[in-house]
Amino acid sequence: MHASARPGRRSSWHRRAGRPVRLWMAVLLLVVLFHRWIPETRWLLVHVVTLGLVTNSILVWSQHFTDSLLKNRVPDDARGRQLARIGLLNAGTALLVVGLLTGWYGLVLVASTAVGAAVAWHGASLLRQLRTALPSRFAVTVRYYVTAAFLLPVGAVLGALLAAGPAAGWHARLLLAHEAVNVLGFVGLTVAGTVLTLWPTILRTRLPERSTRVGAAALPVLAGGLVLTGTAALAGSSALAAAGLAVYAAGLGAVVAVLAQAAGRARPADYAGWSVAAGVLWWAAGTVAAVLVVGLRGFDAAALGQLTVPFVAGFLVQVLLGAMTYLLPVTMGGGPATVRAAHRAINRAGTFRVVVVNLCVLLFALPPGTVPSWVRAVVSLLGAAALFAFVPLMVSAARISVAGRRAAAARRTGEPAPAPEAVAPAAPPRPAREALAGVLVVALGVAAGVAANPAAAGFDLRGGGSGVPATGGTTTVQVSAREGMRFEPATVEVPLGDELVIELTNEDPTNVHDLVLASGTSSGRVAPGRTVTVEAGVVDGSLEGWCSIVGHRSLGMTLDVVAVGADGAPGAAAGPGQGVPGPVPAGTDPAAGADLAAAPGADAEVRSPVLEPVGEGVLEDGRRVHRVDLDVSEGEHEIAPGVRMRAWTYNGRYMGPTLRGEVGDVFEITLRNGGTMGHSVDFHAGTVAPDENMRTVAPGESLVYRFEAVRSGLWLYHCSTAPMSTHVAAGMFGAVVIDPPGLPEVDHDWLLVQNETYLGPPGETAGDGTGVGVDAVVDPARIPGGVPSLTVFNGHATQYLHEPLTARTGERVRIRVLAAGPSTGLSFHVVGGQFDTVHKEGAYLLEPGGAGPGGAQALDLAPAQGGFVELEFSEPGTYPFVNHSLVEAERGARGLIEVTG
């Protein structure tokens, strides 16, 4: 048996191990305050609580209780390993947050592995400690800890699978298994083992004699129920999953009965007792609700999602804060009088806080649509404030403990004791008054929420408004975003005056979608497999909804909300006078005022037209292989002077990198989607089945595209995700140059790729917010009209007017030209020059040194065609090159060649 650690060293270890909890509390506060501007807020709140606060606390306090209950304290030299486990856990948690918010699935896998490994390591350490200890009455508590610790790695694997964006059916089953293993298993078993011994101590009463016997019997029941639930969920049997939850509930009932017996001897008298009691009741109630949901509705992700707040805020947070309220003053020490003073400080207004928190959780636990959105917003702030009140009270208790320890140390050394910090005497607890105050505060919050939007609560106070009375009822509809750019159903009917709640599930396996209503309500972006709830407010007329991801609306991804009157007939469409804005005007073209004679901006990078030589590649089986990474990103790009657009790019540039090789070369392309929506790539230079190579890649995912260049030509590559015209106009295109065999060397070899784009103001076409900070975004509605905003070479309208191409008289010049589109071709012409060589789409139209004095003045290319021309300049001068469809030249498709003697 190990010797006890010294108290000072032990206190120091607790303080160091507890630092991550304080850090995650600060992160949680920031997320609560700024949740409207943070993506994936719901997921982030849940995981900051479960991993940041709860799991860290479990690693610290389960070790503390194991040391105390087994009388087998770990040696001081093992504390470093304990801190290493905590460090690994927090590194994994931080990486998980970054991975989920950025869509880097590889990072999610690394993070999940780190979190699971840290807790499994902790469980193995506790198991070794248990096996080397003498027999103890309380060993059953440590068995709970060990069992719980080995469940979390399973939950981490399930969480990683969820993050991969499975299909909707699998998503709900994985969600149930994940939450059962992590919340009911890892946290639930840890709490069950702890409260069996801690609860009587909090109540200051003796332990019921049957507590250890019941605890030992309940553990296999609880664990068996979890195994059945998780296995059945993965197998797709909702009946067996509900049965597993019922078995778990039976084991939990036995534990709660023991706790109730102790409470019968001594009722809770402070925040610690009431908070733990309320948390256990939410745990039991949530488990029973889960049995009913799975038994009656099967694997319903939206219904299971309604249990998140009761389990997280009602159960996890309240048990954690209640236990810490009791434990922190005890572990901080300072002597009996100091501990009592610290307890009084940290338990201030305890009954008031517990009442406020639990009434707020109760309101959130009601069925969707029962509580108006403004009421939910107000009570969420009240509940958060009541929970976060723990932080300043904890600081106050810590200051008292520090002062007490210093005074005790001074007395031991005979030094003058420092003057104790003045502490206001605590008022005698008045639980009835505090409870009444809590009820009144929540009632005022509800009233404030109703006043903010009376119609949503069934009060028609609008006077001369639409004249449609609010019914007070709620209509909840399920809408799916499906593959093929459509909502299903595409039309929903809602009684006039009802509040509309839309449960939106993204069942498209590759694309991100959202839903924006004409009223201004938005779902935010929804990743594949995710479900969100959209509270649309009271419906006083028909209105339209659509997916605001650029291009999706133009492909028909719209939703019609039809308001139906009391007689069953459709109601009038909501108009601007009825609180719903009318159609937004198309606006002006952001490029209309661009100065197409001006120089590019200071930050614009001129793209060199010089074609680089064929790369060396690597030899494999006698063939040269070119390996290229294409990283998709979305950012700002200047396409003309004073016109910055939101571009979608390969490798960070409007117009992707140029690839060059020879016939017989192999290209292996790794496409990584670092954007916020689905993207893909289609290489015209390869002959491959498009099914796998050209499939849309979801954000955070990647694919490898391999092809052999079997024919020469100037080939286009581009994003093939619908709508392709929008993706190409946004910058997702490039060139692959495969030289004809025996192509002679020239003095200058240039590449010009023309494309056109169609722009609209960001505030009117980027409902998803992607136009923030730019002048323009691609407007899919303008593309069918065929009138581009700008037509440019190599990604900018004026770059080659101010940095011309240069040559000398008598030098041989080859100009390769590609029409990238999406819809416009070109007639390439050099003013003052004539072509003696013309190569188009893999064949010579005019060969060098051919018979006769014939020449060519233009190279005509349809969209996606390419070729090259060659010429020599006999006189110095400035030679413009243009698209001789002159309207396109006037839109920017032009440049200069400066020839010197």
Side-chain angles (χ1 to χ4, degrees), residues 11 29 87 97 173 257 285 340 359 407 432 485 597 606 611 624 636 648 730 822 846 872:
S11 174
L29 178 61
V97 170
R173 290 152 59 184
R340 287 194 296 271
L359 286 177
M485 304 297 173
V606 174
L611 186 62
R624 181 165 49 194
E636 298 179 25
W648 304 342
L846 187 63
E872 297 179 8

Side-chain angles (χ1 to χ4, degrees), residues 506-694:
N506 185 1
E507 297 184 6
D508 187 331
T510 55
N511 282 303
V512 174
H513 294 292
D514 67 4
L515 174 62
V516 175
L517 298 175
S519 59
T521 301
S522 173
S523 67
R525 293 196 168 189
V526 185
R530 296 292 179 93
T531 298
V532 298
T533 299
V534 183
E535 296 178 347
V538 173
V539 174
D540 55 3
S542 299
L543 70 160
E544 185 186 8
W546 58 88
C547 179
S548 74
I549 307 299
V550 177
H552 292 195
R553 184 182 186 182
S554 64
L555 290 176
M557 199 166 188
T558 60
L559 174 73
D560 290 319
V561 177
V562 178
V564 179
D567 57 357
Q578 295 171 278
V580 179
V584 179
T588 58
D589 188 335
D595 184 353
L596 296 186
D603 296 333
E605 181 181 353
V606 174
R607 187 168 193 139
S608 172
V610 176
L611 186 62
E612 298 296 329
V614 177
E616 293 183 0
V618 294
L619 287 177
E620 292 183 0
D621 299 327
R623 296 189 302 176
R624 181 165 49 194
V625 178
H626 304 276
R627 289 191 171 90
V628 180
D629 291 335
L630 284 186
D631 295 319
V632 173
S633 61
E634 299 158 13
E636 298 179 25
H637 173 78
E638 182 185 285
I639 194 167
V643 183
R644 297 189 65 82
M645 66 175 289
R646 181 72 174 181
W648 304 342
T649 67
Y650 295 120
N651 291 1
R653 298 195 70 174
Y654 189 97
M655 179 180 153
T658 299
L659 281 58
R660 188 178 184 186
E662 297 176 348
V663 173
D665 285 1
V666 173
F667 291 82
E668 185 178 287
I669 313 298
T670 300
L671 177 72
R672 299 185 183 92
N673 187 357
T676 60
M677 66 189 78
H679 292 291
S680 58
V681 66
D682 171 8
F683 283 93
H684 292 195
T687 55
V688 296
D691 307 65
E692 174 63 22
N693 291 288
M694 303 177 197

